[in-house]
């Protein structure tokens, strides 16, 4: 099992550009989520999904879109990148939300210039 | 919004010593989880303890939970240099449609050889 795979590992964007961060899991997990991690701020939830076709907002959803067309994939779209979106992004999955431990991807380090 | 607060923020010990980290939280929870993050990597789930449990062990790790004091502790016995990492607690609430983990800011542990 690969677990949770995130691509790319690193990305530099110019302000105003858009891009998609990819997340895929091969554990048949129902629950998937996106976090951003910033120094001194801890992990903040951006969006999450409790199953294919179902998504919901977390604490900091502005500027980001998600979709969940399959159980395996949960891409995160930055619509118009801003320097405030410079961060490390993590995708995490679990069988059924926080009833279980989460499996994290290795992260995407995004810099917006 | 942060619920868990880890204490201390940073801890430096010698190899072979025990390391204790504490986590306090504010509202009632269903479970509490501990994670480790090595520098530049994704988080790794260590232990989940449910609200009706008081103590749990996994190898050199021991977690306690005191729901009356709204606090938990993580003990790492006979520490090794490889235990150097940041450790996060996360509290879970999953009543109804609310299925989220709320994260603390972490304890940075340095184990010196």
């Amino acid at each position: 099992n690969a677990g949770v795979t995130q691509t790319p590992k690193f990305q530099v964007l110019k302000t105003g550009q858009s891009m998609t961060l990819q997340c895929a899991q091969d554990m048949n997990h129902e629950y998937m989520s996106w976090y951003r991690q910033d120094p001194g701020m801890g992990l903040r939830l951006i969006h999450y999904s409790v199953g294919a076709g179902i998504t919901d907002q977390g604490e900091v959803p502005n500027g980001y879109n998600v979709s969940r067309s399959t159980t395996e994939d949960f891409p995160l779209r930055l619509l118009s990148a801003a320097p405030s979106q410079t961060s490390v992004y993590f995708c995490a999955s679990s069988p059924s939300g926080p009833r279980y431990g989460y499996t994290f991807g290795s992260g995407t380090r995004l810099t917006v210039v | 919004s942060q619920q868990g607060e880890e204490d201390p923020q940073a801890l430096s010990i010698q190899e072979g010593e025990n390391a204790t980290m504490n986590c306090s939280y504010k509202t009632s929870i269903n479970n509490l989880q501990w994670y480790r993050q090595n520098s530049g990597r994704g988080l790794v789930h260590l232990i989940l303890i449910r609200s009706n449990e008081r103590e749990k062990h996994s190898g050199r790790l021991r977690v306690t939970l005191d729901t009356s004091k709204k606090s938990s502790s993580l003990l790492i016995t006979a520490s090794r240099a490889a235990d150097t990492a940041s450790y996060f607690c996360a509290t879970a609430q999953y009543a109804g449609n609310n299925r989220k983990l709320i994260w603390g800011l972490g304890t940075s542990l340095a184990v010196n050889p």
Side-chain angles (χ1 to χ4, degrees):
Chain A
N1 283 348
V4 177
T5 303
Q6 286 185 242
T7 57
K9 291 192 185 306
F10 301 93
Q11 184 71 47
V12 179
L13 286 180
K14 293 183 179 177
T15 296
Q17 286 186 317
S18 62
M19 79 159 293
T20 299
L21 307 186
Q22 301 291 346
C23 175
Q25 52 91 9
D26 61 359
M27 299 169 284
N28 201 32
H29 283 174
E30 173 186 290
Y31 184 94
M32 297 184 74
S33 54
W34 277 102
Y35 288 91
R36 57 178 291 172
Q37 185 177 37
D38 303 289
M41 302 289 288
L43 281 162
R44 291 183 290 170
L45 181 65
I46 305 171
H47 285 284
Y48 66 100
S49 168
V50 298
I54 307 169
T55 64
D56 206 348
Q57 296 181 349
E59 297 174 70
V60 289
N62 292 341
Y64 307 94
N65 269 357
V66 291
S67 60
R68 184 99 179 266
S69 56
T70 67
T71 299
E72 294 78 20
D73 299 299
F74 191 43
L76 177 72
R77 296 183 189 84
L78 278 70
L79 309 173
S80 176
S84 60
Q85 293 178 306
T86 293
S87 187
V88 182
Y89 291 85
F90 288 102
C91 179
S93 73
S94 92
S96 178
R99 288 182 185 274
Y100 302 91
Y102 285 12
T103 301
F104 278 79
S106 57
T108 295
R109 186 173 295 273
L110 175 69
T111 302
V112 182
V113 297
Chain B
S1 59
Q2 260 62 42
Q3 151 121 288
E5 292 185 10
E6 287 93 340
D7 168 55
Q9 289 187 323
L11 182 60
S12 181
I13 60 174
Q14 296 300 120
E15 214 166 17
E17 293 180 340
N18 295 343
T20 300
M21 288 158 268
N22 302 298
C23 172
S24 59
Y25 57 93
K26 296 174 184 144
T27 62
S28 62
I29 61 172
N30 296 104
N31 70 54
L32 186 145
Q33 304 179 24
W34 284 92
Y35 290 78
R36 182 187 73 234
Q37 183 179 33
N38 292 92
S39 180
R41 310 288 291 273
L43 283 79
V44 175
H45 178 252
L46 297 175
I47 287 186
L48 181 153
I49 186 165
R50 293 187 165 76
S51 60
N52 60 352
E53 297 175 311
R54 293 296 166 257
E55 188 171 311
K56 225 169 174 182
H57 297 255
S58 176
R60 293 183 297 113
L61 306 180
R62 172 178 170 254
V63 167
T64 61
L65 178 64
D66 187 333
T67 53
S68 66
K69 294 181 179 177
K70 292 188 170 56
S71 68
S72 173
S73 67
L74 170 67
L75 168 67
I76 305 174
T77 60
S79 62
R80 306 166 181 167
D83 295 326
T84 294
S86 291
Y87 292 81
F88 294 88
C89 71
T91 54
Q93 299 166 317
Y94 38 83
N97 290 326
N98 181 23
R99 291 199 266 175
K100 297 172 190 172
L101 275 184
I102 304 177
W103 297 82
L105 296 180
T107 291
S108 177
L109 173 66
V111 181
N112 305 303

